[in-house]
Amino acid sequence: MSPVGQRKRHESAVAHVSGTAVYTDDQREPAGMLSLFPVISPHVKATITKLDVSPALGVDGCVTVLTAADVPGENNTGVIVRDEVLLPTDEVSYYGQVVAWAVGETEAAAREAAAKIVVEYEPLPAVKTVKEAIAANSYHSDPQFIRRGDPDAVIAQSEHSFTGEVEIGGQDHFYLETQTSWAVPDGEGNLQVFASTQHPSETQHIVARILGLPSNRVVCTCLRMGGAFGGKESQANPFASAAALATYKTGRPARCRLRRHHDMLITGKRHGFLGEYRVGFDGDGHITAMKATLTADGGWSLDLSPPVLARAMLHVDNAYYIPNLVVEGRIAKTNRVSNTAYRGFGGPQGMIVIEEVCDRIARTLNLPPDLVRERNFYHGTGATSTTHYDQEIVDNRIARVWQEAQDSSNYLARRAAIAAFNETSPHKKRGLAITPVKFGISFNKVMYNQAGALVLIYTDGSIQLNHGGTEMGQGLHTKMLQVAAKALGVNLDRIRMMHTSTDKVPNTSATAASSGSDLNGQAVKNACETLRDRLAGVAVRMLNLDAPEDMVFEDDWIYCRTYPSARIAFDEVVQQTYSERISLSATGFYRTPNIFWDPKLGKGRPFYYFAYGSAVSEVEVDGFTGTFKLRQVDIVHDVGESINPLVDRGQIEGGFVQGMGWLTMEELVWDDEGRLRTFAPSTYKIPTISEVPEQFTVHLLERAAQDGVIYGSKAVGEPPFMLAMSVREAIRAAVAAFGNADYVPLGLPATPEATLWAIEAVKAATPQGQPVEVVS
């Protein structure tokens, strides 16, 4: 039986649940390990007028203090633009920015020393919100545009039109393992970095930049991560650099491990957005034109904001054909944390805008929102199946996942039952919603769509597997083991997955953009096929045959396809291959074909394919408290031909719940001074098991193999996150049932407070004495 397509448990599942999985800070400490503790800015923006570290050096156990003056190389960790200093010299740009690092024999000593460091500031005027940035014309870069048609002219002649805006909140990554890095010197001027990073190659390069070393003097290894979600793609670099700087200065190994509140204060989040729109539509709910402006809160430095904004602009259509569409994108420069990658990478923020529009059209016309959505789907061929950036949707599965979700959830009957319930329940209302997802798969920047692998076969037949992807709990390593086992025709238990390391596979791309399995899977398969071809050439000679192309590798045997009794054990062929002095190691490489993007024109084929899904959610909202209960979720999701259905289901369920958290409860709150106040689990709420409904059904789309990808599978990391839009839309439907309004303004996140305000707005918009007419 092929290992691909089987429900295999996560390769580290037992280690995870037994507590034996080794993360960066669980390793056996090298002798003389030092610990770092940060000194952070209490101001949103200020000039540093004094920095005196001498009191800290008098603390027992304090070894040194790191400041900008200690950086031997370039004091900058910026990844696209070098605008992000590791340690400031004269000015701080956000509340929580690290000003210095105390280095101690223990964390307690470092913490005590940090408290003794004297820093004096002169506060400066700050830009605290996106709207303040817009008013001050404070942007990181020039605006970007994607254009199709002439929305201005069409809207002017449209039967109906409206304008609006939606403020979209950010989201903390809240990974279980906070940012953690070790730096260990080898005594010969080289450095081994162990980091909880999604991008070991970039961490390697940034550390080398800070220390003024060539990259070959730094090896970065990622054992595994306790969650990441994009928060360790670029944001791991400053902390690895701080640990490396401590090692460089002292000659001793050093660790940088953030406490939870420091992690939440210092690191970037999902970008908050302001979405502004102007829309024209006809009496049947067809969108004829839209102009949208998306302004992302980039924070104090650029980080990965340009590609995040680009993906938001590319997904402002979601699953809908809009014949005339212009989207403008801006990156606001504010005095907040430098916002960064997060699951969906801007796609969710773009989709929120069009889903807001669809619901508003439906309520304006007194039509069911699901009908309006369905009427606007991409369909057919030609223009109606071509995106606003000129990419044709060649394998459109939107209508298919939509119909299967409706059928499997008994949608129409439940909609009628909920309408009947709402008529007799004055203080609690239920809502039902279905929303689609169309999500493009590939890195926005074409050059990142490549991967490498290294496979080693030993003379006893055991195998080591290396690839450039990192494991953060998502199951990538599990899938790569299955890919290698199938490609070599061996059992899984003879393959050992090695830690991701830059001395095994160089110049890797981040494990991000949902492309981990696509890219690394093809690279692993390529390496295994090279080895298989070498082994096949040996096997035919051992079997007195002459057609290596007829050799089948299966279940630890190698045999002839047309003469199956001619077979030989995999181990015997391996030993003979070694005896014949033929290499038993191979590298693999893959580059995604046929993708391109012109950022100036805003046109191209940026995605290799699209992933599709649809979700039906039912909620009940309490009119007195604004709280909601998620009663039922039904999902149909397109994962192609699944490599591992168990892992894929886990990703779908987890992504959905995380998306629900962003949309309904995870609220980032800054005070009037621009200081983040939600920096602990006591004030920042993520979903728990109590928020997950008992009725939670996931169907993987069947007969859905995708051409040109690893064993027909599709990406699954990010697309399910957006399925949670159905929860927000269900809450909106329930809120609408409290009155009659052609617009239901619902905050994002839809916290109980925001939901109560929405209920009040709906009631206020309903003329007194008018009966409530329910639009499901």
Side-chain angles (χ1 to χ4, degrees), residues 165-169 277 352 356 359-360 363 619 621 626 628 663-664 724-736 743-762:
E165 69 175 38
V166 53
E167 291 190 57
I168 302 167
Y277 54 83
I352 283 294
E356 187 94 0
D359 184 86
R360 189 168 173 185
R363 300 193 187 284
V619 304
V621 171
F628 80 95
L663 293 168
T664 65
M725 293 186 296
S726 60
V727 178
R728 181 171 184 257
E729 294 308 309
I731 293 173
R732 194 198 303 272
V735 169
Y743 177 46
V744 181
L746 184 60
L748 195 161
T751 61
E753 181 182 11
T755 301
L756 276 176
W757 281 116
I759 291 171
E760 290 302 312
V762 166

Side-chain angles (χ1 to χ4, degrees), residues 617-620 627-633 653 656-666 684-696 724 727 731 750 752:
S617 293
E618 179 183 337
V619 304
E620 182 173 285
T627 57
F628 80 95
K629 179 177 176 59
L630 184 57
R631 291 170 48 83
Q632 184 173 337
V633 173
E653 292 170 1
F656 180 92
V657 172
Q658 190 176 48
M660 178 181 69
W662 171 55
L663 293 168
T664 65
M665 66 185 67
E666 296 185 44
Y684 185 83
K685 298 300 182 183
I686 65 171
T688 64
I689 191 65
S690 62
E691 276 75 52
V692 179
E694 291 185 18
Q695 293 181 275
F696 193 153
V727 178
I731 293 173

Side-chain angles (χ1 to χ4, degrees), residues 264 665-669 677-685:
M264 296 183 76
M665 66 185 67
E666 296 185 44
E667 185 176 24
L668 294 167
V669 178
R677 309 313 293 171
T678 48
F679 53 82
S682 58
T683 52
Y684 185 83
K685 298 300 182 183

Side-chain angles (χ1 to χ4, degrees), residues 464-540:
Q464 282 187 356
L465 173 59
N466 302 268
H467 65 89
T470 54
E471 176 62 46
M472 59 199 85
Q474 84 278 38
L476 174 61
H477 281 354
T478 307
K479 288 187 175 183
M480 295 305 95
L481 287 167
Q482 291 176 271
V483 168
K486 178 177 175 61
L488 289 173
V490 298
N491 290 320
L492 283 165
D493 57 9
R494 73 164 67 225
I495 306 175
R496 177 188 174 191
M497 176 61 69
M498 306 304 291
H499 300 311
T500 309
S501 190
T502 58
D503 61 350
K504 296 293 183 62
V505 182
N507 308 318
T508 58
S509 297
T511 305
S514 302
S515 62
S517 293
D518 284 2
L519 296 176
N520 293 289
Q522 295 282 25
V524 167
K525 182 170 177 280
N526 177 243
C528 291
E529 288 175 342
T530 297
L531 290 167
R532 192 179 63 193
D533 289 346
R534 293 175 191 165
L535 294 170
V538 174
V540 292

Side-chain angles (χ1 to χ4, degrees), residues 603-685:
K603 303 294 182 183
R605 187 174 186 258
F607 304 122
Y608 192 41
Y609 63 85
F610 294 97
Y612 304 96
S614 188
V616 176
S617 293
E618 179 183 337
V619 304
E620 182 173 285
V621 171
D622 188 312
F624 291 119
T625 65
T627 57
F628 80 95
K629 179 177 176 59
L630 184 57
R631 291 170 48 83
Q632 184 173 337
V633 173
D634 295 272
I635 291 171
V636 174
H637 198 70
D638 169 28
V639 298
E641 191 72 30
S642 176
I643 291 176
N644 188 321
L646 187 63
V647 166
D648 286 349
R649 285 179 182 274
Q651 285 292 288
I652 293 167
E653 292 170 1
F656 180 92
V657 172
Q658 190 176 48
M660 178 181 69
W662 171 55
L663 293 168
T664 65
M665 66 185 67
E666 296 185 44
E667 185 176 24
L668 294 167
V669 178
W670 282 268
D671 63 19
D672 293 340
E673 300 297 319
R675 299 173 299 186
L676 181 66
R677 309 313 293 171
T678 48
F679 53 82
S682 58
T683 52
Y684 185 83
K685 298 300 182 183

